[in-house]
Amino acid sequence: MGFARGAVALKVDSEPYDFRARARESFGRQAAMRTIGAELTRVEQGTVEIELPFDAKLTQQHGLLHAGIISAALDAAGTYAAYSVIDPDASLLTIEFKVNLLSPGRGERFLFRGEVTKPGTTIIVSDGRAYAVKPDGPAKLIASMTGTMMVVRGREGIEG
Amino acid sequence: MGFARGAVALKVDSEPYDFRARARESFGRQAAMRTIGAELTRVEQGTVEIELPFDAKLTQQHGLLHAGIISAALDAAGTYAAYSVIDPDASLLTIEFKVNLLSPGRGERFLFRGEVTKPGTTIIVSDGRAYAVKPDGPAKLIASMTGTMMVVRGREGIEG
Amino acid sequence: MGFARGAVALKVDSEPYDFRARARESFGRQAAMRTIGAELTRVEQGTVEIELPFDAKLTQQHGLLHAGIISAALDAAGTYAAYSVIDPDASLLTIEFKVNLLSPGRGERFLFRGEVTKPGTTIIVSDGRAYAVKPDGPAKLIASMTGTMMVVRGREGIEG
Amino acid sequence: MGFARGAVALKVDSEPYDFRARARESFGRQAAMRTIGAELTRVEQGTVEIELPFDAKLTQQHGLLHAGIISAALDAAGTYAAYSVIDPDASLLTIEFKVNLLSPGRGERFLFRGEVTKPGTTIIVSDGRAYAVKPDGPAKLIASMTGTMMVVRGREGIEG
């Protein structure tokens, strides 16, 4: 028995829809992600990756990537991982999330991976990890996250 | 016996120093706060307030203030509350924080208050609350936070 | 504007029911609380207190009250605070909770207070604080908690 | 690049010591674990497993394993995973932990696995997962945890 990370049992939609297009379209409307320069670089069912180049405008007082920016990108990665496993007419609200900052946010490029740990009809839980990545050399784990989302249906103004 | 929120027993420095100036100076170096338009509007020993006007560039896909931006401002409020109770030669690293999103981030202006729940020589815990505020009318609680910080001394590159 | 802890706006039931009796009856069925010796000592709308005498059978390796026992009592306090504000035909499931251990669990008697921070029809958030209390002298804050609960209706086997 | 869960880079002690014996001895002094019937069934560097048979005395109001008991066992699993990677003269204090309850605690036997996500000289972060296990058939994930511990040295009364 192992930690089945990412190997969640996902409902196969009888009529599959393009969850990738939906995630990209919704992410494209997250102005906050544009403001920080984050890109949605991978969308699979239950797994999403976001990438972010370092930018001096995103730093805390020591010149490192701000914990709040790390959290914003991790929250988005966890949320879009959850988006990839819900019905096309449902949407999501983040209830809560927790971030552990594991190493300083030092690097030229960062990768944020979100994975669905527990799908559900009402509550979905995602886990995320943030890495400082280099063109050559190993990625360095800089943060981890657990987030809880609620699946919502038919709430005006919350459709995507 | 009551919940002594904010009424923490703070060490009175034998030689008081200007913790307000230090907090403002350090906050001023947080480029990420400038990028999102956050201002440090109040600094007391153990309590800090940050304010943020709504800006369309900070939204999630439904046009509300992004959970990650709320978290970034709450993290900063909790961190600077902790800064206000440490020695002038010490600095802080955020170990972890948890945010609960309680109501949609809808409003024209937001206030983030951080308070030290537990001061300490090594570990400091802060709690924070985020509100949507209006010129007239009650503030609406939109998020709560608990964050844990580590007091660091003499680490190169981490002096403020 | 202040931190309105505990002063949540609670719906006044048109037909009030005995939420105290319900909380006591449900708590009485929590065998785990009996096993650790916890008592429900106060029930108000939105606020609950649980008390626990120190017992050597509840300790961790250094002879202090085990963090897990502190968490179990805090979870119960937060959950029953939420019970006190829901409809009589609804029940609750804990989705998640986070505990900060602030001081060693040293003492002869412990008090756990749970308060509803955000009531809701689907999601309720409670905060809790644990204290080591003495017959004479101030209570010492030893832990804080935030917990998220989901209101459930009509699920077989989950009625109280 | 993958989620290197459990594959943490551990310092190889120049003089290896019996971390398994130490973990078992310390766990044996956790009276709370004895009270709930938990056993330490596996100790590797960076990974620990605890098992717990269902017992009616550990239930919440619906007859399921109490969230607080799940948390107590997960906290212990995360803590002893961290014990397995620290120096023999160091000890640990739990700073905080967060638990997500993913499925009802229904089953005859439960397994709690703790893994070190980030070792460190001052702060160690562990993740944990709880499963309902059956003699035949797949294990069911019922909870996940992230915990933060502080490495302490030379504090009287905290030696193991």
mmCIF file of all heavy atoms in Angstrom, chain B residues 41-73:
data_model
loop_
_atom_site.group_PDB
_atom_site.id
_atom_site.type_symbol
_atom_site.label_atom_id
_atom_site.label_comp_id
_atom_site.label_asym_id
_atom_site.label_seq_id
_atom_site.Cartn_x
_atom_site.Cartn_y
_atom_site.Cartn_z
ATOM 1 N N THR B 41 -1.071 50.851 7.586
ATOM 2 C CA THR B 41 -1.779 52.037 8.096
ATOM 3 C C THR B 41 -1.762 52.161 9.612
ATOM 4 O O THR B 41 -2.148 53.191 10.150
ATOM 5 C CB THR B 41 -3.247 52.037 7.609
ATOM 6 O OG1 THR B 41 -3.843 50.782 7.953
ATOM 7 C CG2 THR B 41 -3.318 52.243 6.109
ATOM 8 N N ARG B 42 -1.345 51.095 10.319
ATOM 9 C CA ARG B 42 -1.311 51.186 11.783
ATOM 10 C C ARG B 42 -0.289 50.198 12.320
ATOM 11 O O ARG B 42 -0.254 49.046 11.887
ATOM 12 C CB ARG B 42 -2.702 50.847 12.355
ATOM 13 C CG ARG B 42 -2.822 51.099 13.837
ATOM 14 C CD ARG B 42 -4.218 50.722 14.353
ATOM 15 N NE ARG B 42 -4.175 50.423 15.777
ATOM 16 C CZ ARG B 42 -4.952 49.559 16.406
ATOM 17 N NH1 ARG B 42 -5.881 48.889 15.737
ATOM 18 N NH2 ARG B 42 -4.826 49.356 17.694
ATOM 19 N N VAL B 43 0.536 50.666 13.252
ATOM 20 C CA VAL B 43 1.516 49.778 13.891
ATOM 21 C C VAL B 43 1.496 50.045 15.386
ATOM 22 O O VAL B 43 1.853 51.134 15.841
ATOM 23 C CB VAL B 43 2.951 50.026 13.367
ATOM 24 C CG1 VAL B 43 3.930 49.043 14.016
ATOM 25 C CG2 VAL B 43 3.032 49.929 11.851
ATOM 26 N N GLU B 44 1.035 49.073 16.151
ATOM 27 C CA GLU B 44 1.127 49.127 17.611
ATOM 28 C C GLU B 44 1.928 47.910 18.054
ATOM 29 O O GLU B 44 2.142 46.996 17.273
ATOM 30 C CB GLU B 44 -0.271 49.087 18.257
ATOM 31 C CG GLU B 44 -1.231 50.133 17.770
ATOM 32 C CD GLU B 44 -0.812 51.549 18.121
ATOM 33 O OE1 GLU B 44 -0.030 51.717 19.077
ATOM 34 O OE2 GLU B 44 -1.227 52.483 17.422
ATOM 35 N N GLN B 45 2.345 47.885 19.332
ATOM 36 C CA GLN B 45 3.062 46.683 19.776
ATOM 37 C C GLN B 45 2.086 45.511 19.797
ATOM 38 O O GLN B 45 1.139 45.483 20.607
ATOM 39 C CB GLN B 45 3.698 46.896 21.151
ATOM 40 C CG GLN B 45 5.098 47.501 21.003
ATOM 41 C CD GLN B 45 6.071 46.993 22.040
ATOM 42 O OE1 GLN B 45 5.736 46.859 23.209
ATOM 43 N NE2 GLN B 45 7.296 46.708 21.623
ATOM 44 N N GLY B 46 2.279 44.588 18.928
ATOM 45 C CA GLY B 46 1.437 43.400 18.887
ATOM 46 C C GLY B 46 0.269 43.481 17.922
ATOM 47 O O GLY B 46 -0.426 42.489 17.723
ATOM 48 N N THR B 47 0.037 44.632 17.318
ATOM 49 C CA THR B 47 -1.096 44.791 16.386
ATOM 50 C C THR B 47 -0.688 45.642 15.191
ATOM 51 O O THR B 47 -0.100 46.709 15.366
ATOM 52 C CB THR B 47 -2.290 45.490 17.071
ATOM 53 O OG1 THR B 47 -2.682 44.723 18.199
ATOM 54 C CG2 THR B 47 -3.486 45.605 16.133
ATOM 55 N N VAL B 48 -1.014 45.163 14.017
ATOM 56 C CA VAL B 48 -0.695 45.891 12.800
ATOM 57 C C VAL B 48 -1.908 45.875 11.871
ATOM 58 O O VAL B 48 -2.643 44.883 11.836
ATOM 59 C CB VAL B 48 0.539 45.250 12.113
ATOM 60 C CG1 VAL B 48 0.579 45.517 10.625
ATOM 61 C CG2 VAL B 48 1.824 45.774 12.759
ATOM 62 N N GLU B 49 -2.134 46.954 11.159
ATOM 63 C CA GLU B 49 -3.184 46.974 10.149
ATOM 64 C C GLU B 49 -2.626 47.365 8.795
ATOM 65 O O GLU B 49 -1.782 48.256 8.682
ATOM 66 C CB GLU B 49 -4.314 47.941 10.545
ATOM 67 C CG GLU B 49 -5.133 47.416 11.709
ATOM 68 C CD GLU B 49 -6.254 48.343 12.134
ATOM 69 O OE1 GLU B 49 -6.436 49.403 11.507
ATOM 70 O OE2 GLU B 49 -6.952 48.005 13.104
ATOM 71 N N ILE B 50 -3.116 46.662 7.789
ATOM 72 C CA ILE B 50 -2.753 46.930 6.404
ATOM 73 C C ILE B 50 -4.051 47.206 5.654
ATOM 74 O O ILE B 50 -5.055 46.550 5.907
ATOM 75 C CB ILE B 50 -1.997 45.715 5.812
ATOM 76 C CG1 ILE B 50 -0.588 45.635 6.422
ATOM 77 C CG2 ILE B 50 -1.945 45.776 4.295
ATOM 78 C CD1 ILE B 50 0.165 44.379 6.074
ATOM 79 N N GLU B 51 -4.038 48.171 4.760
ATOM 80 C CA GLU B 51 -5.234 48.448 3.970
ATOM 81 C C GLU B 51 -4.921 48.325 2.485
ATOM 82 O O GLU B 51 -3.793 48.529 2.051
ATOM 83 C CB GLU B 51 -5.800 49.832 4.318
ATOM 84 C CG GLU B 51 -6.303 49.861 5.761
ATOM 85 C CD GLU B 51 -7.022 51.144 6.131
ATOM 86 O OE1 GLU B 51 -7.869 51.604 5.323
ATOM 87 O OE2 GLU B 51 -6.742 51.677 7.214
ATOM 88 N N LEU B 52 -5.969 47.977 1.750
ATOM 89 C CA LEU B 52 -5.811 47.675 0.331
ATOM 90 C C LEU B 52 -7.074 48.105 -0.400
ATOM 91 O O LEU B 52 -8.159 47.603 -0.091
ATOM 92 C CB LEU B 52 -5.622 46.157 0.180
ATOM 93 C CG LEU B 52 -5.482 45.580 -1.226
ATOM 94 C CD1 LEU B 52 -4.110 45.914 -1.796
ATOM 95 C CD2 LEU B 52 -5.643 44.061 -1.181
ATOM 96 N N PRO B 53 -6.954 49.022 -1.341
ATOM 97 C CA PRO B 53 -8.132 49.323 -2.155
ATOM 98 C C PRO B 53 -8.361 48.214 -3.184
ATOM 99 O O PRO B 53 -7.407 47.599 -3.662
ATOM 100 C CB PRO B 53 -7.762 50.637 -2.848
ATOM 101 C CG PRO B 53 -6.275 50.734 -2.785
ATOM 102 C CD PRO B 53 -5.782 49.848 -1.689
ATOM 103 N N PHE B 54 -9.625 47.975 -3.502
ATOM 104 C CA PHE B 54 -9.930 47.015 -4.555
ATOM 105 C C PHE B 54 -9.292 47.483 -5.848
ATOM 106 O O PHE B 54 -9.273 48.670 -6.158
ATOM 107 C CB PHE B 54 -11.446 46.899 -4.752
ATOM 108 C CG PHE B 54 -11.817 45.981 -5.874
ATOM 109 C CD1 PHE B 54 -11.859 44.616 -5.679
ATOM 110 C CD2 PHE B 54 -12.088 46.477 -7.149
ATOM 111 C CE1 PHE B 54 -12.182 43.754 -6.723
ATOM 112 C CE2 PHE B 54 -12.408 45.624 -8.200
ATOM 113 C CZ PHE B 54 -12.451 44.264 -7.985
ATOM 114 N N ASP B 55 -8.788 46.516 -6.623
ATOM 115 C CA ASP B 55 -8.215 46.828 -7.927
ATOM 116 C C ASP B 55 -8.526 45.643 -8.846
ATOM 117 O O ASP B 55 -8.294 44.489 -8.457
ATOM 118 C CB ASP B 55 -6.701 47.029 -7.787
ATOM 119 C CG ASP B 55 -6.063 47.576 -9.059
ATOM 120 O OD1 ASP B 55 -6.437 47.128 -10.170
ATOM 121 O OD2 ASP B 55 -5.199 48.460 -8.944
ATOM 122 N N ALA B 56 -9.035 45.920 -10.014
ATOM 123 C CA ALA B 56 -9.425 44.838 -10.933
ATOM 124 C C ALA B 56 -8.249 43.918 -11.260
ATOM 125 O O ALA B 56 -8.449 42.768 -11.645
ATOM 126 C CB ALA B 56 -10.013 45.423 -12.221
ATOM 127 N N LYS B 57 -7.027 44.392 -11.076
ATOM 128 C CA LYS B 57 -5.867 43.545 -11.401
ATOM 129 C C LYS B 57 -5.596 42.505 -10.313
ATOM 130 O O LYS B 57 -4.667 41.703 -10.439
ATOM 131 C CB LYS B 57 -4.627 44.407 -11.655
ATOM 132 C CG LYS B 57 -3.964 44.950 -10.405
ATOM 133 C CD LYS B 57 -2.711 45.762 -10.738
ATOM 134 C CE LYS B 57 -2.062 46.229 -9.426
ATOM 135 N NZ LYS B 57 -0.972 47.154 -9.608
ATOM 136 N N LEU B 58 -6.381 42.524 -9.230
ATOM 137 C CA LEU B 58 -6.144 41.597 -8.109
ATOM 138 C C LEU B 58 -7.236 40.533 -7.998
ATOM 139 O O LEU B 58 -7.366 39.872 -6.969
ATOM 140 C CB LEU B 58 -6.091 42.386 -6.787
ATOM 141 C CG LEU B 58 -5.077 43.525 -6.720
ATOM 142 C CD1 LEU B 58 -5.229 44.262 -5.390
ATOM 143 C CD2 LEU B 58 -3.655 43.006 -6.883
ATOM 144 N N THR B 59 -8.004 40.350 -9.046
ATOM 145 C CA THR B 59 -9.201 39.503 -8.929
ATOM 146 C C THR B 59 -8.966 38.055 -9.344
ATOM 147 O O THR B 59 -8.020 37.718 -10.051
ATOM 148 C CB THR B 59 -10.327 40.082 -9.804
ATOM 149 O OG1 THR B 59 -9.833 40.243 -11.136
ATOM 150 C CG2 THR B 59 -10.781 41.427 -9.268
ATOM 151 N N GLN B 60 -9.886 37.220 -8.885
ATOM 152 C CA GLN B 60 -9.954 35.836 -9.387
ATOM 153 C C GLN B 60 -10.975 35.794 -10.526
ATOM 154 O O GLN B 60 -11.416 36.847 -10.994
ATOM 155 C CB GLN B 60 -10.275 34.850 -8.253
ATOM 156 C CG GLN B 60 -11.225 35.282 -7.154
ATOM 157 C CD GLN B 60 -12.662 35.113 -7.499
ATOM 158 O OE1 GLN B 60 -13.190 35.833 -8.358
ATOM 159 N NE2 GLN B 60 -13.311 34.202 -6.780
ATOM 160 N N GLN B 61 -11.367 34.590 -10.922
ATOM 161 C CA GLN B 61 -12.159 34.462 -12.150
ATOM 162 C C GLN B 61 -13.577 35.020 -12.052
ATOM 163 O O GLN B 61 -14.235 35.222 -13.071
ATOM 164 C CB GLN B 61 -12.165 32.992 -12.609
ATOM 165 C CG GLN B 61 -12.993 32.046 -11.770
ATOM 166 C CD GLN B 61 -12.254 31.508 -10.558
ATOM 167 O OE1 GLN B 61 -11.339 32.108 -10.016
ATOM 168 N NE2 GLN B 61 -12.678 30.343 -10.101
ATOM 169 N N HIS B 62 -14.058 35.270 -10.810
ATOM 170 C CA HIS B 62 -15.406 35.830 -10.662
ATOM 171 C C HIS B 62 -15.384 37.329 -10.371
ATOM 172 O O HIS B 62 -16.402 37.913 -9.990
ATOM 173 C CB HIS B 62 -16.180 35.105 -9.554
ATOM 174 C CG HIS B 62 -16.181 33.624 -9.686
ATOM 175 N ND1 HIS B 62 -15.839 32.780 -8.657
ATOM 176 C CD2 HIS B 62 -16.440 32.817 -10.747
ATOM 177 C CE1 HIS B 62 -15.906 31.523 -9.073
ATOM 178 N NE2 HIS B 62 -16.259 31.517 -10.328
ATOM 179 N N GLY B 63 -14.212 37.944 -10.499
ATOM 180 C CA GLY B 63 -14.123 39.385 -10.306
ATOM 181 C C GLY B 63 -13.990 39.815 -8.851
ATOM 182 O O GLY B 63 -14.030 41.004 -8.543
ATOM 183 N N LEU B 64 -13.815 38.838 -7.958
ATOM 184 C CA LEU B 64 -13.650 39.142 -6.531
ATOM 185 C C LEU B 64 -12.167 39.201 -6.194
ATOM 186 O O LEU B 64 -11.329 38.692 -6.949
ATOM 187 C CB LEU B 64 -14.332 38.049 -5.694
ATOM 188 C CG LEU B 64 -15.810 37.790 -6.034
ATOM 189 C CD1 LEU B 64 -16.304 36.538 -5.317
ATOM 190 C CD2 LEU B 64 -16.653 39.006 -5.658
ATOM 191 N N LEU B 65 -11.849 39.778 -5.038
ATOM 192 C CA LEU B 65 -10.454 39.816 -4.604
ATOM 193 C C LEU B 65 -9.931 38.379 -4.479
ATOM 194 O O LEU B 65 -10.560 37.531 -3.851
ATOM 195 C CB LEU B 65 -10.351 40.539 -3.247
ATOM 196 C CG LEU B 65 -8.938 40.860 -2.775
ATOM 197 C CD1 LEU B 65 -8.216 41.824 -3.704
ATOM 198 C CD2 LEU B 65 -8.973 41.441 -1.352
ATOM 199 N N HIS B 66 -8.796 38.117 -5.091
ATOM 200 C CA HIS B 66 -8.233 36.764 -5.155
ATOM 201 C C HIS B 66 -7.841 36.276 -3.757
ATOM 202 O O HIS B 66 -7.256 37.023 -2.969
ATOM 203 C CB HIS B 66 -6.989 36.795 -6.054
ATOM 204 C CG HIS B 66 -6.524 35.446 -6.509
ATOM 205 N ND1 HIS B 66 -5.881 34.557 -5.691
ATOM 206 C CD2 HIS B 66 -6.627 34.834 -7.711
ATOM 207 C CE1 HIS B 66 -5.570 33.465 -6.377
ATOM 208 N NE2 HIS B 66 -6.025 33.611 -7.612
ATOM 209 N N ALA B 67 -8.182 35.029 -3.456
ATOM 210 C CA ALA B 67 -7.833 34.444 -2.161
ATOM 211 C C ALA B 67 -6.334 34.555 -1.885
ATOM 212 O O ALA B 67 -5.919 34.750 -0.738
ATOM 213 C CB ALA B 67 -8.265 32.970 -2.113
ATOM 214 N N GLY B 68 -5.548 34.447 -2.914
ATOM 215 C CA GLY B 68 -4.100 34.540 -2.734
ATOM 216 C C GLY B 68 -3.665 35.942 -2.346
ATOM 217 O O GLY B 68 -2.700 36.109 -1.586
ATOM 218 N N ILE B 69 -4.357 36.951 -2.839
ATOM 219 C CA ILE B 69 -4.035 38.341 -2.469
ATOM 220 C C ILE B 69 -4.467 38.589 -1.018
ATOM 221 O O ILE B 69 -3.740 39.220 -0.239
ATOM 222 C CB ILE B 69 -4.722 39.332 -3.428
ATOM 223 C CG1 ILE B 69 -4.312 39.066 -4.896
ATOM 224 C CG2 ILE B 69 -4.410 40.775 -3.016
ATOM 225 C CD1 ILE B 69 -2.840 39.224 -5.192
ATOM 226 N N ILE B 70 -5.647 38.087 -0.664
ATOM 227 C CA ILE B 70 -6.108 38.179 0.728
ATOM 228 C C ILE B 70 -5.061 37.540 1.649
ATOM 229 O O ILE B 70 -4.700 38.091 2.690
ATOM 230 C CB ILE B 70 -7.476 37.476 0.893
ATOM 231 C CG1 ILE B 70 -8.552 38.225 0.092
ATOM 232 C CG2 ILE B 70 -7.861 37.343 2.363
ATOM 233 C CD1 ILE B 70 -9.900 37.497 0.014
ATOM 234 N N SER B 71 -4.565 36.384 1.239
ATOM 235 C CA SER B 71 -3.587 35.657 2.044
ATOM 236 C C SER B 71 -2.273 36.410 2.142
ATOM 237 O O SER B 71 -1.642 36.433 3.209
ATOM 238 C CB SER B 71 -3.338 34.280 1.431
ATOM 239 O OG SER B 71 -4.557 33.591 1.315
ATOM 240 N N ALA B 72 -1.856 37.002 1.030
ATOM 241 C CA ALA B 72 -0.591 37.740 1.034
ATOM 242 C C ALA B 72 -0.660 38.909 2.005
ATOM 243 O O ALA B 72 0.269 39.156 2.784
ATOM 244 C CB ALA B 72 -0.268 38.230 -0.379
ATOM 245 N N ALA B 73 -1.785 39.624 1.998
ATOM 246 C CA ALA B 73 -1.929 40.780 2.890
ATOM 247 C C ALA B 73 -2.075 40.328 4.348
ATOM 248 O O ALA B 73 -1.526 40.961 5.264
ATOM 249 C CB ALA B 73 -3.121 41.627 2.457
#
